[in-house]
Every structure is written in C-alpha cells, then in structure tokens.
C-alpha cells in the first residue's frame, strides 16, 4: 500500500513536470553566450524591451570570462554541441569560423537594420567573401590616454596624432619615481590578447610584420628589433615596477589611482578613467591617437565584440531577431533614454558619430572614431602581408603561437633574457609551429 | 610517562597555531572584506583593511544581475546527489576489498587511484561527445554522473581505510547468527563505520561543490552551479573585483557554514585510525 502511494506520487510529480515542460516548449529559447563587461551586462538588463516585443522568444544567458568563453564556445561549435544560439565573438574568430562554415550568414537581416551604417573598418573585419558573419555590438581601437595636468606641468602639449619620439619625451618628463608617478603604462602580461595585442599593433607603426607574403616569420627583421628595443627602453626607464605582469586591469587600476602619466590601451577604457566614481583623475584626462613613426601606419588596433549565430543552432530565426534588436539603432536609443548617451555601445555605426547629443556626452567619441578609422585589417602594416588582422593574424594557429611569443617578450621585460634572445626564440618557435601546421 | 608541557610552551604553540590558521584563512577573509568595498576601494594602493566605507551595493548588484537561487539549487543537487550515489556504489566495493580481498585487490585500488592522475582536460572531448550523444549536456543528471565518477576513487579509498579498522570477527559473528550479506553491510558494518562514512560524505560534498573544470565545461544556461555563477563575474577588461568578491562570498557561504557545523565530524573522520 505504502509502495503504491509512493509510485502514485512519483507519477503525479513526473506528470506535473512534463506538463510544465510542455507549456515552456511553446516559446523558442535563445541561449546567448556572452562576456562579462559593462556593455554586455547593460544589455542583459534591458532585454525586457526585446521580450515584450517578442513574447514567443525566451532568452537565456551564459556569462563567462572572455578566455573561458572563447574556449567553451570553440569546443561546442567544433563538436556540434548546439549549446548556444547566439555567440559573442571577436574580430579574430569571425574570419576563421566564417571560413570554416561554422557561422550563419547575416546578409539577410532586415533592411531597417541598415548594414551600410556600420563603420567600414568594423564591417570589413566581420565579412568573409562578401558574407557578413557577425553583427558588431561594440567596437574599439586603442589610443593614448594621458594626464592633462602632468602634461602641463611637464611643459608639453600632446598633439592629436603624436609620434613615438614624442611619447618617449613626454614619458621622461612626467616620470617621478619617488612620487610613484610613471611616465607610461603599457601591457606586459604574456598572452595573445595581452602584451601581443599591444606589441603587434605597435610593430605595425615600426613597419614590422608577423609574416612575409610566403608565410615566413619575420621576427629576425630590423623592424621587430626596433619595436621591441623601443618598448623595453620605454618600460624600463619610465614604466611602473613589475610591468611584465600588468594587463588591462592592472594598468587601469594604476591610471585611476594617478600613477600613470600616459596609458596606451583600448578605447573602451576612456569611459572608466573619466568616471569620477572610480577614477581619482577623472577630470584631468586627455586623449590622442595611438603614436606613429611617420611610416604611414599608427600603432592602434581594431576589435569588435560581435554577435554571431553558430551553424548548428536550431533557433536561427529567433536568434536573428535578437541580433537585429541588440545591434540596431533602436537599441542605441533605448540605452540613451535609460542610461544616457555616454553609456551607449560605441564604435560600430556611423550615425552615432553624427549624433550631436552623443558627441556632447562622450568627450572621447571623436578620438575613438578616428582611431577605428585609422586601422586597416586588410593592410595592417607598411609592407604587404598574406593575412587579415591588425593586432592579430586571423589564422587558427595564431593564438597558440602568439601566446608563446608573448611569454618570451614578457620574460625579456622581466629581465630574464635579452631582446635579441627573445626575438631569436620567437622566430624559431613561430617557424616550427607554422611548418607543423603545413604553411 | 608523558612529558610535562610548560605554560609558556603552550602559549607559544597556541600563538603559532593561530598565526598559521589566520594565514590560511586570510585569502577568504580578504575576499569577504573586498565584497563590502566599492570598486575603487577594492583596488586601492596601499590596500585598505577595515577602515573603508562598508557597502552592500555589490551584493545588491549581484542579486539583481544573477539568479543566485538557481545556481545554489544546482550546486546542492549536483554535490548532494553525486555524493550519495557515490557512497551507495562505494560501500559494497570497499567492503569486498576490506573483508574479502583477493590477490589483485591492491592493484585494483591503485588502478582506481591512477584514474585521478590523468589531467581532466585529457578526457574532456570524449566525455563532451558522449554527452552530446546521450543528451546530457547542460543537465544536472549529467553532472551528477560525472561528479560521482570522478570522486568515486577517493570515496572507495577512504571507506576502504575505515573498514580496515573494523575487526572482521564482528562481521563473522553476524554471519554465524544468520545475517545475510545485505543485512551484514546495512545493519552491522555501516553503523560501526558511521564516523568514517560521515567524513567521506562531507569531504566529497565539498569536493563536488568546489569542482570547476567539469561544471564550467559541461553546462550552459540551465545546470550551471555556483562555480559558473562566480565565473560570470570575472573579466580581463574591466574592474569587477568587488562584485566578483561578493559573488565568491555568496558561493562559499553555504559550504563554509556546513564545514563550521560539521568540523568535529570532519576532523574525527579524517584522523580516524591515524593514532593508535
């Protein structure tokens, strides 16, 4: 009798669960894999606007740190796990995954989404053979952020488009190690998206390149030696102590506490360093384009966090509706109405930079646009190259190789080896890896 | 005759023990303190220890942004069920190895432990593909299975060690009194091994609660436990240390409380048989 009661209760519970599952199954669920940053978190908070327009679509979020997300999404897409319907990916992944047939083309998004409004450099980085494989959510480049008060104290004036020689001169003038003020803060932490993003972009302005047209590594070139020697000189003499472990967050922290005269990094940092809630120097920050050496290329990068649909998704139409909403002009206006123009996702659309309200609210807007426009992913450096990408090389092998090269360069910055040794090892390991990959 | 311990020596020993204890606990304490700071105070240099503007804002933001209860429930189910199922599977295995050993028992034990020597990432892709085939990706059932299997060698080893301390004659007596195998394990062996089983339960619950590799790789939006909750607050581009600390504190709070209440059983179980 007791056993029967238990069986009946279990059966009833299962029926109830099944009924619930059936009721839920009427809505299409879109699972979105995303990174943890201010703009993405803001979007999650505003999705009620989307779900009220599309009551038949449910959104589920998976938020992860970007390196974990990259590994997790790559694994799922390669194994055809079908866990995600919308992916947040960068300009490095889009050309590779697009070529592999892993992404759904977004060429058929509605006309009002206005593909022609996208900034040309950003659109070009997300397009493969005429197919747009990802819609940019926000775009960024890199630029110089500097302390206007320290610059004034040093008796210098930052030009809109400085040279590396001026950066060195200003760094020397602003450095006051006893007062814990360092002329320049740059990335030193090893990683393809850490020090190698900065150094690859910088090397373009020195005329260096990763590979020649025959895919032969070029770390034995004079241009790379000039790049790395200049960087070491700058960091050793005017950089903060322990710079070989500093990434974006560490430098942001130093700058916000007033310990950096200049910081060359992602344009997205502009809103952080000018936010008086977190930054002690919010009212004395100026912006300038990333430096050059007069060779026709600046040392800035180009990146866009974009939304894409994996080829294995079973909710493609719903995913397209979500992407249309999240990356459209309407979303920009929604953010502006709720949180102000300064908080709209930057760097994707021309119309945003023609908007007087935005230009007034975001003092860094013009410099962000100029920085993005100054980058050319198809022709990133002075000499011709066989690859796409400004601060990366859009081939699957790059992340692994660049992380190893980054470790060699970081070790040189930490004083564990010379620049010549680091370059020699970088050349050897890159040649080995590329040969193994069949280039 | 036991050596007399002077008061002075006792004081020194106590001070050293406290110092080591505080040193071990300091990272957890720092995480808890940081969770009450603003983001600017969290990165202040020199760091501020106690004299800052205490705020609950981070907890409020985390609560608003994430469905904490869903992650907590997933953690409870995954850690709890995997540990219970593991014990049910391991008790008979440990019984047979402890009381009816064969020539190969030691080899089997070593082989079981050797499965822990393989880096988890080495088995990730095969398991991922099997999970896709079986429809177990992002399900609590799948994670219960994986957690149970990866902790099973430890459970069997621990139970085997405890069972070895129990005299086989008592089980023999039960058998002579007509107890079946089931009754022997259930009514004679298990009650005598309760401290060992309790500490095995607790330790494996903690191990399963804190496991982050499999729980991050095999879940997406539905079955993610508290480890996935913490991971969602980490970022290489943006300062979220105070919020990350708040999320970490919320994730470790239940297990800290559990550990606090059961520390006597844990210590008793872990030192069981260590001193004769």
């Amino acid at each position: 009798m007791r056993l029967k009661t238990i069986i009946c209760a279990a059966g009833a519970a299962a029926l109830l669960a099944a009924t619930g599952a059936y009721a839920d199954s009427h809505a299409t669920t879109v699972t979105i894999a995303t990174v943890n940053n201010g703009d993405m978190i803001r979007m999650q908070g505003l999705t009620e606007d989307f779900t009220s327009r599309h009551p038949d679509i449910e959104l589920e979020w998976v938020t992860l740190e970007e390196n974990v997300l990259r590994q997790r999404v790559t694994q799922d897409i390669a194994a055809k796990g079908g866990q995600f319907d919308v992916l947040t990916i960068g300009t490095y992944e889009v050309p590779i995954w697009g070529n592999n047939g892993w992404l759904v083309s977004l060429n058929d998004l509605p006309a009002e989404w206005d593909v022609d409004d996208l900034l040309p450099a950003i659109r070009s980085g997300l397009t493969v053979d005429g197919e747009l494989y990802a819609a940019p959510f926000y775009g960024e480049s890199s630029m110089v952020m500097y302390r206007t008060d320290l610059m004034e104290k040093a008796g210098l004036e930052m030009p809109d488009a400085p040279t590396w020689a001026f950066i060195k001169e200003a760094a020397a003038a602003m450095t006051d190690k006893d007062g814990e003020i360092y002329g320049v803060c740059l990335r030193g932490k090893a990683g393809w998206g850490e020090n190698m993003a900065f150094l690859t972009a910088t090397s373009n302005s020195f005329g260096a390149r990763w590979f020649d047209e025959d895919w032969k590594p070029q770390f034995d070139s004079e241009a790379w030696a000039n790049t790395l020697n200049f960087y070491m000189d700058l960091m050793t003499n005017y950089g903060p102590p322990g710079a070989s472990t500093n990434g974006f967050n560490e430098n942001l922290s130093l700058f916000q506490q007033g310990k950096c005269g200049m910081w060359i990094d992602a344009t997205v940092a502009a809103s952080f360093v000018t936010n008086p809630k977190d930054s002690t120097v919010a009212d004395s920050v100026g912006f300038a384009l990333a430096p050059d050496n007069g060779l026709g290329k600046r040392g800035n990068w180009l990146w866009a966090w974009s939304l894409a649909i994996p080829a294995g998704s079973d909710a493609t139409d719903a995913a397209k509706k979500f992407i249309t909403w999240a990356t459209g002009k309407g979303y920009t206006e929604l953010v502006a109405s709720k949180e102000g123009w300064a908080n709209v996702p930057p760097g994707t659309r021309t119309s945003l930079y023609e908007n007087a309200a935005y230009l007034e609210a975001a003092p860094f807007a013009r410099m962000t646009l100029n920085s993005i426009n100054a980058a050319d992913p198809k022709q990133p450096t002075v000499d011709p190259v066989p690859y796409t990408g400004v601060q990366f090389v859009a081939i699957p092998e790059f992340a692994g190789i660049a992380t190893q090269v980054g470790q060699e360069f970081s070790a040189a910055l930490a004083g564990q080896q010379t620049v010549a040794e680091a370059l020699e090892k970088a050349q050897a390991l890159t040649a080995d890896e590329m040969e193994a990959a069949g280039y | 005759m036991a050596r007399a311990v002077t008061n002075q020596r006792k004081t020194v020993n106590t001070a050293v023990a406290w110092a080591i204890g505080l040193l071990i606990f300091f990272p957890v304490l720092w995480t808890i303190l940081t969770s009450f700071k603003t983001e600017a105070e969290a990165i202040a240099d020199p760091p501020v220890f106690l004299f800052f503007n205490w705020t609950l804002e981070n907890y409020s933001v985390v609560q608003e942004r994430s469905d904490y209860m869903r992650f907590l429930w997933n953690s409870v189910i995954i850690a709890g069920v995997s540990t219970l199922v593991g014990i049910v599977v391991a008790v008979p295995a440990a019984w047979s190895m402890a009381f009816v050993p064969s020539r190969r028992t030691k080899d089997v034990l070593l082989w079981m432990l050797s499965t822990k020597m393989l880096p988890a990432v080495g088995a990730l892709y095969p398991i991922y593909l099997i999970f896709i085939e079986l429809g177990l990706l992002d399900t609590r059932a799948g994670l219960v299975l994986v957690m149970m299997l990866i902790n099973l060698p430890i459970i069997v080893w621990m139970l085997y060690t405890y069972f070895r301390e129990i005299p086989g004659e008592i089980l023999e007596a039960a058998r002579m009194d007509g107890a079946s195998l089931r009754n022997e394990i259930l009514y004679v062996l298990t009650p005598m091994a309760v401290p060992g089983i309790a500490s095995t339960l607790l330790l494996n619950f903690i191990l399963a609660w804190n496991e982050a590799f499999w729980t991050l790789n095999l879940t997406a939006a539905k079955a993610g436990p508290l480890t996935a909750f913490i991971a969602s607050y980490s970022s290489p581009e943006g300062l979220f240390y105070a919020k990350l600390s708040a999320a970490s504190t919320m994730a470790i709070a239940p297990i800290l409380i559990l550990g606090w209440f059961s520390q006597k059983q844990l210590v008793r179980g872990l030192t069981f048989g260590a001193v004769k």
Side-chain angles (χ1 to χ4, degrees):
Chain A
M1 186 69 186
R2 204 171 148 210
L3 186 68
K4 274 185 186 168
T5 314
I6 292 169
I7 291 170
C8 285
L15 197 65
L16 271 174
T19 313
Y22 177 73
D24 283 344
S25 70
H26 279 293
T28 306
T29 302
V30 173
T31 305
I32 304 152
T34 190
V35 290
N36 178 36
N37 65 41
D39 287 302
M40 290 294 177
I41 300 307
R42 191 172 290 119
M43 175 167 64
Q44 287 182 44
L46 294 171
T47 46
E48 205 181 309
D49 180 78
F50 174 79
T51 47
S52 64
R53 291 163 196 248
H54 301 279
D56 55 330
I57 299 175
E58 275 184 11
L59 301 179
E60 285 186 339
W61 296 86
V62 181
T63 309
L64 291 168
E65 187 271 319
E66 71 175 69
N67 292 315
V68 178
L69 179 99
R70 193 172 277 123
Q71 179 253 318
R72 184 75 188 75
V73 162
T74 311
Q75 171 189 310
D76 191 69
I77 209 165
K80 297 187 173 63
Q83 291 290 287
F84 308 109
D85 302 303
V86 174
L87 313 170
T88 306
I89 53 177
T91 34
Y92 169 58
E93 289 88 4
V94 175
I96 300 170
W97 294 8
N99 260 330
N100 287 355
W102 287 358
L103 302 175
V104 173
S105 168
L106 299 180
N107 275 10
D108 58 350
L109 289 187
E112 65 267 22
W113 185 70
D114 196 1
V115 67
D116 294 327
D117 187 39
L118 297 179
L119 293 173
I122 298 283
R123 182 178 173 181
S124 149
L126 303 175
T127 303
V128 180
D129 297 334
E131 299 288 332
L132 183 74
Y133 281 111
F137 180 67
Y138 81 79
E140 66 171 37
S141 181
S142 56
M143 64 181 174
V144 181
M145 291 161 277
Y146 66 97
R147 291 272 301 281
T148 48
D149 54 335
L150 292 179
M151 195 63 82
E152 198 179 320
K153 195 176 155 193
L156 295 168
E157 193 178 337
M158 176 70 83
D160 275 353
T163 61
W164 282 111
F166 178 82
I167 293 293
K168 187 177 174 184
E169 184 191 347
M174 286 195 275
T175 298
D176 171 15
K177 289 189 177 174
D178 292 336
E180 286 192 77
I181 292 175
Y182 305 97
V184 65
C185 294
L186 304 172
R187 296 185 183 194
K189 186 193 277 184
W192 75 270
E194 292 281 2
N195 62 342
M196 289 314 295
F198 175 79
L199 283 168
T200 302
T202 300
S203 75
N204 294 336
S205 64
F206 279 78
R209 51 185 176 167
W210 265 78
F211 302 103
D212 67 8
E213 292 113 307
D214 297 322
W215 290 100
K216 296 278 175 269
Q218 297 295 301
F219 289 106
D220 54 0
S221 65
E222 195 186 340
W224 262 109
N226 290 341
T227 306
L228 211 55
N229 279 318
F230 182 85
Y231 168 77
M232 295 295 168
D233 179 35
L234 211 54
M235 293 304 284
T236 310
N237 293 313
Y238 316 118
S244 62
T245 56
N246 284 356
F248 177 92
N249 280 346
E250 291 78 9
N251 285 327
L252 170 60
S253 168
L254 286 168
F255 195 90
Q256 285 185 336
Q257 292 173 64
K259 295 186 177 184
C260 298
M262 291 175 286
W263 177 30
I264 305 171
D265 214 301
T267 50
V268 74
S271 61
F272 301 145
V273 295
T274 53
N275 179 357
K277 201 177 156 200
D278 297 327
S279 173
T280 60
V281 296
D283 57 352
S284 53
V285 183
F287 306 99
L289 286 177
D292 74 347
N293 260 342
L295 298 175
K297 291 289 173 186
R298 310 204 76 84
N300 60 307
W301 65 65
L302 183 72
W303 187 257
W305 277 119
S306 309
L307 302 180
I309 304 172
S313 167
D314 56 3
T316 307
D317 290 341
K320 280 184 183 172
K321 283 179 187 163
F322 174 75
I323 289 177
T324 304
W325 172 82
T327 60
K329 292 177 193 170
Y331 177 76
T332 308
E333 280 156 22
L334 176 70
V335 176
S337 69
K338 302 269 185 194
E339 310 205 14
W341 278 103
N343 291 309
V344 303
T348 63
R349 290 185 170 273
T350 308
S351 55
L352 183 66
Y353 294 92
E354 290 163 354
N355 184 318
Y358 177 66
L359 295 177
E360 193 183 335
F364 41 83
R366 190 177 54 87
M367 203 53 73
T368 301
L369 179 66
N370 291 342
S371 296
I372 290 173
N373 285 340
D376 181 358
K378 307 280 185 203
Q379 179 59 58
T381 184
V382 178
D383 293 326
V385 292
Y387 53 83
T388 303
V390 178
Q391 75 279 27
F392 56 81
V393 176
I395 56 172
E397 295 78 12
F398 177 78
I401 296 173
T403 295
Q404 291 181 64
V405 172
Q407 285 162 354
E408 297 301 338
F409 291 176
S410 191
L413 182 59
Q416 293 162 4
Q417 61 183 345
T418 63
V419 166
E421 285 167 344
L423 285 169
E424 198 178 316
K425 287 180 187 173
Q427 177 72 13
L429 77 87
T430 308
D432 285 350
E433 295 281 350
M434 292 300 280
E435 195 185 328
Y439 283 89
Chain B
M1 199 175 108
R3 236 179 349 162
V5 181
T6 63
N7 276 344
Q8 194 187 3
R9 198 186 167 108
K10 261 187 191 169
T11 314
V12 171
N13 284 350
T14 310
V16 170
W18 268 97
I20 293 172
L22 282 175
L23 193 69
I24 293 169
F25 184 65
F26 188 75
V28 178
L29 177 67
W30 191 252
T31 303
I32 296 169
L33 286 174
T34 305
S35 71
F36 293 103
K37 297 176 183 174
T38 62
E39 293 294 353
E41 284 164 343
I43 56 158
D45 184 22
V48 284
F49 188 62
L50 286 172
F51 301 105
F52 55 85
N53 298 315
W54 292 67
T55 175
L56 288 171
E57 192 196 341
N58 300 312
Y59 287 93
S60 150
V61 170
V62 169
Q63 194 73 351
E64 202 177 299
R65 219 185 94 180
S66 309
D67 186 357
Y68 172 72
M69 290 311 290
R70 180 170 60 83
F71 289 104
L72 176 68
W73 182 238
N74 285 341
S75 276
V76 170
I77 294 287
I78 292 162
V81 177
S82 68
T83 304
L84 286 175
V85 175
I87 291 280
V88 169
V89 174
V91 165
W95 172 86
S96 70
M97 290 185 199
F99 299 111
V100 202
S102 70
R103 274 193 312 132
R104 298 278 176 213
T105 294
K106 293 275 179 204
D107 298 336
V108 170
L109 276 167
L110 197 68
W111 171 76
M112 284 183 76
L113 204 63
S114 72
T115 58
K116 299 292 291 176
M117 295 169 194
L118 174 78
V121 72
L124 176 60
Y125 269 87
I127 289 186
Y128 202 86
L129 293 171
I130 292 169
F131 267 47
I132 292 172
E133 285 300 313
L134 299 178
L136 286 174
L137 271 182
D138 200 22
T139 63
R140 289 193 293 242
L143 279 179
V144 163
L145 184 68
V146 166
M147 289 293 116
M148 191 272 283
L149 289 174
I150 62 170
N151 284 335
L152 199 57
I154 297 172
I155 303 179
V156 172
W157 260 91
M158 284 181 77
L159 289 180
Y160 168 76
T161 314
Y162 299 131
F163 288 176
R164 293 269 293 171
E165 298 293 321
I166 294 168
E169 291 79 7
I170 298 177
L171 300 183
E172 262 180 47
R175 252 173 264 150
M176 286 174 75
D177 286 344
S180 65
L181 181 60
R182 177 175 163 274
N183 288 345
E184 179 191 322
I185 292 178
L186 217 55
Y187 298 114
V188 183
L189 175 68
T190 306
M192 283 193 291
V194 160
I197 292 175
S199 62
T200 307
L201 266 170
L202 284 167
L203 189 74
N204 281 279
F205 186 81
I206 293 168
L207 285 176
W209 186 277
N210 290 332
E211 205 286 329
F213 179 80
W214 295 105
T215 48
L216 282 180
N217 276 292
L218 298 177
T219 64
K222 296 184 184 75
L226 285 165
T227 43
F229 168 72
I230 298 178
S232 69
Y233 285 88
S234 173
S235 170
E237 215 174 81
L239 295 173
F240 296 99
Y241 295 134
K243 288 176 196 70
L244 178 62
S245 299
S248 301
T249 304
M250 288 168 76
I252 61 173
I255 207 75
L256 272 183
I257 294 166
L258 179 75
W260 184 272
F261 280 112
S262 56
Q263 57 178 314
K264 201 179 273 181
Q265 286 80 355
L266 257 177
V267 173
R268 189 173 160 203
L270 289 173
T271 54
F272 188 71
V275 182
K276 299 206 177 180

